[in-house]
Amino acid sequence: MADGTKDTKSSNQMWGGRFASGPDAIMEEINASIGFDKKLFAQDIRGSIAHATMLAHQGIISAEDKDKIVHGLSTILSEIESGNFEFSRQLEDIHMNIEARLAALIGQAAGRLHTARSRNDQVALDFRLWVKEELQKTEAMLTNLIAAFLDRAEEHAESVMPGFTHLQTAQPVTFGHHCMAYVEMFGRDRSRVRHAIEHLDESPIGAAALAGTGYPIDRHMTAKALGFREPTRNSIDTVSDRDFAIEFLSIAAICGMHLSRLAEEIVIWSTPQFGFVRLSDAFSTGSSIMPQKKNPDAAELVRAKTGRINGSLIALLTIMKGLPLAYSKDMQEDKEQVFDAAESLELAIAAMTGMVRDMTVNTERMKAAAGSGYSTATDLADWLVREAGLPFRDAHHVTGRAVALAESKGCDLAELPLADLQTINPAITGKVYDVLTVEASVASRKSFGGTAPSEVRKQIAFWRARN
Ligand code: ARG
């Protein structure tokens, strides 16, 4: 304007700088969810068909109208699936986009579909159906990942490697046993997924806006038609609840944390310094400047995806934490978090399954590393307890002196001459060397759940039967 002030008619002075037009455009932009909730089109249509069918069955709408509605919805489904559907932001969300198109296709009858329902129970239904399918997909993907680990564990039930605590060599273990640790972790993730499916397996449709409805609907009928165990029991809770989404995100966060620890191990193991595994070309990349390099990018990205998933969990917990019952529009922000986390989790599980199946395990390097760092020191102490009758604390002390001696001579425990060992404790005999090898060390650890190959095979059989 000539006097230098801004024209406040077309854009707000305080916050309208970005917008060419007035607040309507801003309202539309902040309000619309079609950009992301179009992902729910198939669930929305399934839900509407079940609802219309129930309305007709209960005599709330006529059979003719129901037929028109169902036919129109099926047409819309194929339009969307074939990319011949124009989504409109003015129509805000997937529910209204579909309903508007239905009206264009079948006329007045379309207006009867929304009888005895609200977008509040509709969105709760669509989203639940979507999360349920995603959980089922996750369950199957975890089963594949577990199968990949079981195969590697079987192949390497006897291969020795150093076991670590504090990332310092601790005691020899078998690579099969290490693989089975991941089977346990992903097995727990999968059982969390199964529980979550059980928790969410209730149908929200029919809760209406929040109070239920005066129409004689049959919620058991729609629940059954949509594959739910039963309808939800409290209409207020039904439209307020996003626990199913938060549960999905927490499971994804825990599983992502497991995947990230695995990714970290693969990054470490595939360094030339460790050399325990070699990733296949399919799951690594080269460097544009250093020709010798083979980078574990896929593992690194899996490690990073965990950050995104954790972010989504915290975001949705924060969105929900201050909301009064029942529905508030804040809840519209639930979907992007779940969609993004689901995509990240799927990619991460798939990439890890591929990496685990494809990687080459260097058993020679693992074995050499397993024997270094005095990894059988505990076996020497245990031998002193068993064969020489020493209390464990004394045996620990004697072994410590043997390690110090070996260190000063620059050799392994098994390379110390018997005479040297006997200067530390005269009860030591030549038999002690039997327990100082890494193979003897792992074979001796037969306690339930221990690293002995015989135990690892039992764990594998247990999981094969379960998987
Ligand atoms: N797009 C909305 C969402 O995702 C649908 C529900 C809208 N309900 C309402 N009362 N405005 O949450």
Side-chain angles (χ1 to χ4, degrees), residues 280-338:
S280 68
D281 290 350
F283 286 101
S284 39
T285 59
S287 155
S288 55
I289 179 168
M290 298 162 282
Q292 85 284 8
K293 289 198 73 176
K294 190 161 180 184
N295 296 328
D297 295 42
E300 294 165 85
L301 287 163
V302 167
R303 197 169 55 182
K305 294 283 183 204
T306 319
R308 285 175 84 127
I309 297 173
N310 290 352
S312 295
L313 170 62
I314 298 301
L316 189 52
L317 283 170
T318 312
I319 288 164
M320 295 302 295
K321 75 171 260 302
L323 300 187
L325 308 188
Y327 178 86
S328 296
K329 195 64 177 257
D330 311 48
M331 290 159 73
Q332 176 165 287
E333 295 278 322
D334 55 2
K335 289 165 215 65
E336 284 166 294
Q337 303 304 333
V338 170

Side-chain angles (χ1 to χ4, degrees), residues 134-145 190 193 349:
E134 190 60 31
L135 284 166
Q136 285 163 339
K137 207 188 284 179
T138 309
E139 183 184 358
M141 292 187 79
L142 285 172
T143 296
N144 276 338
L145 177 57
R190 190 177 54 181
V193 166
I349 299 176

